[in-house]
Amino acid sequence: MKSERARLTGLYGGLLVLAGVLLMGLVYLLVSETLYANLMSAVVPTVPASELNIDPVPAYRADGLTAGTLAETQQYTVAQKVTTAAGDAALNQLLTVSGVSLGAYSALSVALAWWMAGRVLRPVGVITARARRLSGSNLHERLALDAPPGELKELADTFDGMLDRIEELVSSRQRFAANAAHELRTPLAVQRAAAEIGLADDPTPEKVARIRAKLIDTAVGSEQLIEGLLLLAVSDEGLRRRERVALDETGAAVIDALAADAEARSITVGLTTRPVTVEGDAVLLDHLVHNLVANALRHNHPGGTVRVDVRPDGPGVVLEVANTGPVVAPETVPLLFEPFRRARARQHAPGEGAGLGLSIVASIARAHGGEAGAKANPGGGLTARVVLPRCP
């Protein structure tokens, strides 16, 4: 038996045949136990003593038996012989009929078992055929199995849910690849234009200096983009090492490192912390906090504020970074956590960023068993919130 349908047929058919054999054996046993007694009670009255050939005997014999007693004895003997013959014939007929019935019942049981196994395994066959046809062009297809609730219905629904996640992941990766190619092509085009146009026709030293500065800025932007892509790939792979990290100290260190940038933008940064410890990769967690604060500084306005709050919250740790700035439409906030998504169209301004900041934050949070989210502030700006598991 090489197929599950054949195995199930053998199992179901064997059980049905075994049940039939046991039932017929029980019927034969019960019939044989009561058949002779019932036949005896029915045959004795039908054998009249007057029809028995009994030799004339004295009223009293030497052995003490009277003619009446002898007639009754012979009547019982005849009835017993008739009962035995009839019972044996009935049991033999019962065995013959039972054997023929068992053969027909066995054939019907195997046929029903084959049909039942095929019906039970039909959803599995549908899932298998769909899985074989899957490709990048038909990930939108679903089983949508129309069946009563049960294990196979649950399996089909789980398969559909898996296809939903795969389709979303593939679409996300395709968008990511297309956006990454676009983002990398832009600085290359700028560099080529600067070299071919700006340096043509024996440019002046001042023009060469401007072109040189432009090429350096473009190269720095490309380096930042590549570093962001590498960091995103590393965080998506999960944690390679774990250690206890004081998140409040990490937040203070990041703010100190970005103090010059905040001062240059005339932005006030406030920090509120309580001692909290998480378990994870210290380098990735530093990038997480750095990206949140740098994003809050970048998408702000002169004279604005950034508020950083690190606090315990039940079994977790909450990191909130709120900033002032332009008004953000609430429906666009979830899209900001996708790679290369920005609240405003890219202006190619210095220090603008590659659009990977919040996507890296979300990836690092997932790698640490947490989650990241944000909400638009009514007066403008965002409040980004990251929840991480707290160290016991």
Side-chain angles (χ1 to χ4, degrees):
M1 295 184 183
K2 296 183 179 181
S3 69
E4 294 300 328
R5 186 173 187 181
R7 294 188 184 96
L8 288 177
T9 299
L11 177 62
Y12 294 157
L15 290 176
L16 290 174
V17 171
L18 179 61
V21 171
L22 292 177
L23 177 61
M24 292 182 181
L26 179 62
V27 170
Y28 181 85
L29 179 63
L30 294 177
V31 169
S32 63
E33 287 292 331
T34 59
L35 178 62
Y36 292 100
N38 292 334
L39 285 176
M40 178 67 75
S41 61
V43 169
V44 169
T46 64
V47 182
S50 59
E51 297 182 3
L52 299 176
N53 295 323
I54 302 175
D55 297 331
V57 294
Y60 293 94
R61 291 175 39 158
D63 54 9
L65 293 176
T66 64
T69 303
L70 183 59
E72 291 176 1
T73 301
Q74 292 183 354
Q75 182 185 20
Y76 178 81
T77 301
V78 173
Q80 190 175 27
K81 291 180 179 180
V82 173
T83 298
T84 301
D88 292 341
L91 289 178
N92 290 333
Q93 182 66 18
L94 178 61
L95 283 176
T96 302
V97 173
S98 297
V100 174
S101 300
L102 180 60
Y105 175 78
S106 299
L108 180 61
S109 297
V110 172
L112 288 176
W114 179 262
W115 173 82
M116 185 187 305
R119 185 172 181 83
V120 169
L121 294 175
R122 184 182 63 84
V124 179
V126 173
I127 295 174
T128 302
R130 182 63 51 82
R132 288 174 177 170
R133 295 200 310 269
L134 276 180
S135 64
S137 61
N138 61 353
L139 282 177
H140 62 280
E141 297 182 8
R142 297 295 180 269
L143 293 177
L145 184 65
D146 185 14
E151 287 78 4
L152 291 177
K153 172 66 173 175
E154 184 178 356
L155 175 62
D157 293 343
T158 302
F159 187 82
D160 286 342
M162 181 188 67
L163 289 180
D164 290 337
R165 294 189 295 272
I166 292 176
E167 182 182 16
E168 182 180 355
L169 178 62
V170 170
S171 299
S172 175
R173 294 304 181 188
Q174 290 175 343
R175 291 195 305 269
F176 177 82
N179 291 331
H182 175 74
E183 294 287 338
L184 289 171
R185 185 176 59 183
T186 300
L188 291 177
V190 172
Q191 291 175 352
R192 181 170 182 173
E196 291 181 349
I197 300 175
L199 299 180
D201 301 329
D202 193 18
T204 62
E206 293 79 7
K207 189 175 183 180
V208 171
R210 290 197 304 271
I211 297 301
R212 177 177 177 274
K214 180 66 174 178
L215 291 175
I216 292 176
D217 289 341
T218 305
V220 170
S222 299
E223 291 176 357
Q224 292 176 349
L225 174 59
I226 293 173
E227 289 177 359
L229 292 173
L230 291 175
L231 180 60
L232 185 60
V234 169
S235 59
D236 282 341
E237 290 178 358
L239 300 183
R240 297 181 180 178
R241 60 180 181 179
R242 288 182 179 271
E243 58 184 307
R244 296 175 69 90
V245 179
L247 197 61
D248 56 314
E249 297 178 3
T250 302
V254 168
I255 290 177
D256 290 341
L258 294 175
D261 190 14
E263 184 178 357
R265 297 172 184 268
S266 301
I267 296 175
T268 303
V269 180
L271 174 64
T272 304
T273 63
R274 276 179 280 179
V276 288
T277 304
V278 298
E279 188 178 38
D281 190 310
V283 176
L284 291 180
L285 289 173
D286 181 80
H287 279 292
L288 182 147
V289 180
H290 184 278
N291 282 9
L292 284 176
V293 178
N295 189 75
L297 292 175
R298 185 179 298 115
H299 301 284
N300 214 316
H301 53 71
T305 60
V306 174
R307 179 178 55 83
V308 181
D309 185 11
V310 183
R311 66 181 186 275
D313 185 12
V317 174
V318 173
L319 167 64
E320 279 189 352
V321 178
N323 65 284
T324 56
V327 176
V328 180
E331 62 272 12
T332 65
V333 172
L335 302 178
L336 298 179
F337 288 89
E338 295 185 10
F340 306 108
R341 289 298 187 111
R342 301 177 178 86
R344 295 175 295 174
R346 185 174 184 179
Q347 304 297 324
H348 300 288
E352 183 185 27
L356 293 172
L358 291 182
S359 61
I360 292 175
V361 167
S363 178
I364 295 175
R366 287 194 301 268
H368 286 79
E371 58 182 10
K375 65 177 181 179
N377 298 328
L382 285 175
T383 297
R385 176 185 174 96
V386 176
V387 180
L388 300 173
R390 187 178 181 183
C391 252

